[in-house]
């Protein structure tokens, strides 16, 4: 295998699918590219549809023993997995940066963020409570128990190659389900390193499986249509989520979908402008803007738009762009050339329609996959970049005059994942929180993601929640026991 991985523990670099506790050889392989340099990092085995079926069958076989373990036993194993991830977090971060591009400090944060779900659900699995309900007849009792739903299949994206797996797997495993994940073909190494650590943590064979392959369509069909998969969970675009949901309908699987977003970021006239600028920098330029919950439309009250734009420009000009392996860089590459071209096209179209380029708007000198952090003003909500996920480091500013107008504009999208606003008046805070049609609202705060909170969207941003006590429900069945013959 080629370097320059330079890991403390070279066994974390795996290049085969992990199925039923074993590394599985394949006939063919595909390359993993470093988006910062566009060089091939290594090759990984290309799993076929048969390999995916094998993983599902292994997960089905492993299910009864795993489900029968006590919550404490499962928690102890998950805790071991968590400890190993923390112990190897520097190596995991390096692998993540190499294959995904985000700067090392951000990659390390993602590893800790992902691990926090494993720690959190290990504990929460001990609190899967049932119910007793007053019955309608004196000789019966109504009891509700919760049971693991069964084999869970997941497809996860390249933008958070560790955390999106950990967030789903932690809840599924804590609930007593077994798990098969197909990570993005762009970022298989982070997923396989997680499998290596799951193996070391002693997770039983078949409980956690990772199938890496280049043919997303074929692999997705198996995972969404195999009758032994009880639940399917996906993080990715709305278009693909709709297709996968349709495929799941053939066997009526329970689905949860964490799909695209088009987050408004609203700055009201009474906002703390510096706090809003800092919040926007963190939200918009994290992961080079390749985040489902990143701010996509920046609505600023017209009385402060000039001041806000000036402060934002100053802050953006402090951001370093370049290879994520240099920890001093803040913005890494776009994942592919196509991704960069899409962003650039949206920027050009908006300028052609009257938007004003304030900063950036071009490919950066750091390399072909790097897009310069960009600010556009005089944007309207009808422009394509305000109606679609930009998925790049571009901040389009739209000015507004009153609360009703901005709420209507913010809600004028089929998406409903995250929204943010900055205001001080308590009446504004409450009214706007209630009226925004989004699953998550950051109020004077843009760092909203954490293991204790329910992550998820409404409208075409999906369904289900990840993280928090609600996150377990997606992996549990409710079973009603009606006990009769109990006397008068
Ligand atoms: C996402 O892009 O959907 C994940 C972002 C997060 O978990 O903070």
């Amino acid at each position: 295998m080629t370097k320059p991985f330079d890991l403390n523990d070279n066994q974390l670099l795996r290049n085969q699918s992990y199925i039923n506790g074993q590394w599985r050889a394949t006939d063919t392989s595909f390359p993993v590219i470093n988006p910062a340099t566009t060089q091939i990092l290594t090759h990984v085995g290309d799993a076929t549809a048969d390999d995916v079926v094998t993983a599902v069958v292994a997960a089905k076989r492993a299910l009864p023993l795993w489900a029968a373990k006590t919550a404490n036993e499962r928690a102890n194993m998950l805790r071991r997995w968590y400890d190993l991830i923390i112990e190897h977090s520097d190596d995991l971060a390096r692998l993540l940066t190499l294959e995904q591009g985000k700067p090392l400090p951000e990659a390390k944060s993602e590893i800790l963020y992902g691990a926090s779900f494993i720690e959190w659900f290990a504990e929460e699995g001990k609190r899967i409570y049932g119910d007793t309900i007053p019955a309608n007849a004196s000789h019966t009792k109504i009891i509700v128990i919760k049971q693991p739903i069964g084999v869970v299949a997941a497809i996860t994206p390249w933008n958070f190659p560790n955390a999106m797996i950990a967030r789903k797997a932690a809840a599924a495993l804590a609930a007593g389900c077994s798990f098969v994940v197909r990570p993005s073909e762009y970022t298989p190494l982070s997923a396989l390193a997680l499998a290596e650590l799951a193996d070391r943590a002693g997770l039983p064979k078949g409980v956690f499986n990772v199938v890496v392959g280049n043919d997303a369509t074929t692999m997705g069909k198996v995972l969404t249509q195999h009758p032994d998969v009880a639940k399917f969970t996906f993080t990715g675009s709305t278009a693909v989520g709709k297709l996968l949901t349709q495929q799941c309908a053939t066997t009526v699987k329970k689905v949860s979908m964490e799909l695209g977003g088009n987050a408004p970021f609203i700055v009201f006239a009474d906002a703390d402008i510096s706090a809003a600028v800092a919040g926007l920098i963190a939200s918009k330029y994290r992961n080079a803007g390749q985040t489902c919950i990143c701010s996509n439309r920046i609505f600023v009250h017209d009385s402060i738009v000039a001041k806000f734009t000036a402060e934002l420009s100053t802050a953006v000009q402090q951001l370093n762009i370049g290879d994520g392996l240099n920890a001093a860089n803040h913005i890494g590459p776009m994942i592919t050339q196509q991704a960069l071209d899409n962003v650039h096209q949206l920027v050009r179209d908006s300028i052609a329609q009257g938007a004003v380029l304030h900063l950036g708007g071009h490919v950066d000198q750091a390399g072909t996959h790097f897009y310069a952090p960009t600010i556009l003003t005089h944007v309207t909500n009808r422009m394509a970049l305000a109606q679609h996920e930009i998925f790049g480091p571009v901040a389009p500013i739209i000015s507004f005059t009153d609360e009703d107008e901005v709420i209507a504009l913010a809600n004028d999208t089929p998406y409903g994942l995250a929204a943010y606003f900055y205001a001080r008046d308590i009446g504004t805070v409450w009214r706007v929180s209630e009226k925004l049609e989004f699953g998550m609202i950051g109020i004077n705060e843009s760092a909203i993601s954490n293991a204790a909170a329910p992550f998820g969207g409404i409208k075409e941003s999906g369904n289900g929640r990840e993280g928090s006590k609600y996150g377990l429900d997606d992996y549990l069945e409710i079973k009603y026991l009606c006990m009769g013959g109990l006397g008068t």
Side-chain angles (χ1 to χ4, degrees):
M1 233 179 267
T2 50
K3 302 268 173 180
F5 290 96
D6 200 16
L7 304 176
N8 298 311
D9 181 343
N10 287 320
Q11 290 303 307
L12 291 176
L13 179 59
R14 289 288 178 176
N15 66 350
Q16 291 173 330
S17 292
Y18 179 74
I19 299 173
N20 199 27
Q22 282 167 346
W23 302 101
R24 191 172 171 94
T26 48
D27 293 337
T28 53
S29 63
F30 65 96
V32 184
I33 310 284
N34 178 345
T37 61
T38 68
Q39 301 293 304
I40 294 177
L41 286 165
T42 186
H43 287 80
V44 298
D46 196 1
T48 61
D50 281 351
D51 297 320
V52 185
V53 171
T54 306
V56 170
V57 170
K60 178 80 176 175
R61 210 178 309 118
L63 183 66
L65 280 180
W66 182 247
K69 286 197 183 302
T70 65
N72 269 332
E73 287 169 333
R74 286 197 292 267
N76 290 341
M77 254 178 249
L78 288 173
R79 179 73 206 194
R80 276 205 290 281
W81 194 21
Y82 165 81
D83 287 340
L84 285 165
I85 292 170
I86 299 298
E87 185 186 327
H88 295 284
S89 53
D90 286 337
D91 277 354
L92 295 174
R94 193 171 169 84
L95 277 177
L96 202 163
T97 292
L98 280 165
E99 66 177 349
Q100 199 274 345
K102 68 179 67 173
L104 266 177
E106 242 188 273
K108 180 77 179 273
S109 296
E110 178 180 338
I111 301 300
L112 301 183
Y113 173 53
S116 73
F117 288 95
I118 299 175
E119 182 187 42
W120 201 89
F121 278 113
E123 289 307 312
E124 193 62 10
K126 299 174 187 171
R127 287 179 279 278
I128 298 174
Y129 301 138
D131 255 327
T132 59
I133 300 174
N136 60 339
S138 57
H139 64 281
T140 60
K141 298 283 176 212
I142 297 175
I143 298 166
V144 173
I145 61 171
K146 292 189 182 170
Q147 293 181 304
I149 188 162
V151 174
V152 173
I155 294 184
T156 52
W158 51 263
N159 62 344
F160 288 85
N162 172 292
M164 296 304 100
I165 296 175
R167 184 155 84 183
K168 294 176 192 300
L173 268 48
C177 301
S178 53
F179 192 81
V180 180
V181 59
R182 186 229 174 237
S184 165
E185 65 275 22
Y186 298 129
T187 55
L189 303 180
S190 296
L192 295 173
L194 271 176
E196 167 66 22
L197 295 177
D199 192 80
R200 292 185 201 176
L203 284 177
K205 287 183 195 329
V207 167
F208 179 74
N209 305 275
V210 179
V211 279
V212 293
N214 210 9
D215 186 348
T217 307
T218 303
M219 296 174 85
K221 277 194 179 140
V222 177
L223 293 173
T224 51
Q225 294 179 344
H226 197 291
D228 285 344
V229 172
K231 148 96 195 191
F232 179 76
T233 169
F234 172 67
T235 296
S237 73
T238 294
V240 175
K242 286 179 182 176
L243 192 71
L244 295 171
T245 303
Q246 278 171 14
Q247 290 174 191
C248 284
T250 58
T251 47
V252 196
K253 295 189 198 318
K254 184 162 171 167
V255 293
S256 48
M257 293 280 152
E258 201 266 273
L259 306 178
N262 182 358
F265 184 103
I266 309 171
V267 190
F268 285 96
D270 66 341
D272 175 339
I273 293 181
S274 302
V277 166
L280 182 62
I281 293 280
S283 159
K284 178 71 254 183
Y285 298 102
R286 172 186 178 215
N287 202 12
Q290 302 170 109
T291 307
C292 304
I293 58 167
C294 76
S295 305
N296 208 57
R297 296 169 292 158
I298 327 303
F299 295 103
V300 186
H301 192 267
D302 53 16
S303 63
I304 55 166
V305 71
K307 185 167 164 43
F308 179 87
T309 308
E311 274 198 36
L312 181 65
S313 301
T314 305
V316 169
Q317 285 172 77
Q318 318 290 314
L319 299 174
N320 302 328
I321 181 161
D323 192 331
L325 284 183
N326 177 351
N329 285 330
H330 304 101
I331 300 187
M334 302 283 93
I335 190 73
T336 58
Q337 183 68 53
Q338 182 64 55
L340 183 139
D341 291 346
N342 291 346
V343 171
H344 193 46
Q345 191 59 45
L346 284 171
V347 169
R348 282 158 50 136
D349 287 351
S350 71
I351 293 168
Q353 288 168 31
V356 174
L357 185 63
H358 203 81
L359 211 63
H362 55 82
V363 179
D364 193 86
Q365 59 186 17
T368 53
H369 278 32
F370 292 85
Y371 201 72
T374 297
I375 300 176
L376 292 157
T377 56
H378 298 82
V379 173
T380 72
N381 207 43
R382 285 286 105 210
M383 290 177 182
L385 89 172
Q387 286 300 310
H388 295 100
E389 268 191 303
I390 302 170
F391 242 59
V394 177
I397 296 179
I398 305 172
S399 63
F400 70 93
T401 49
D402 74 55
E403 187 180 306
D404 286 345
E405 174 203 5
V406 77
I407 287 169
L409 288 170
N411 289 338
D412 181 21
T413 167
Y415 296 103
L417 192 57
Y420 309 87
F421 68 91
Y422 281 68
R424 284 185 171 142
D425 176 72
I426 189 71
T428 309
V429 166
W430 188 248
R431 278 192 309 276
V432 176
S433 300
E434 286 205 316
K435 286 183 185 163
L436 284 174
E437 296 166 356
F438 295 84
M440 297 174 281
I441 315 277
I443 304 153
N444 298 318
E445 178 60 65
S446 70
I448 57 173
S449 306
N450 68 83
F455 190 105
I458 60 173
K459 294 163 75 177
E460 292 192 15
S461 288
N463 52 49
R465 291 295 178 269
E466 296 187 331
S468 84
K469 63 175 182 172
Y470 307 104
L472 277 174
D473 293 342
D474 276 71
Y475 300 96
L476 293 166
E477 288 288 19
I478 287 177
K479 188 181 277 179
Y480 152 48
L481 313 181
C482 179
M483 295 182 67
L486 296 176
T488 53

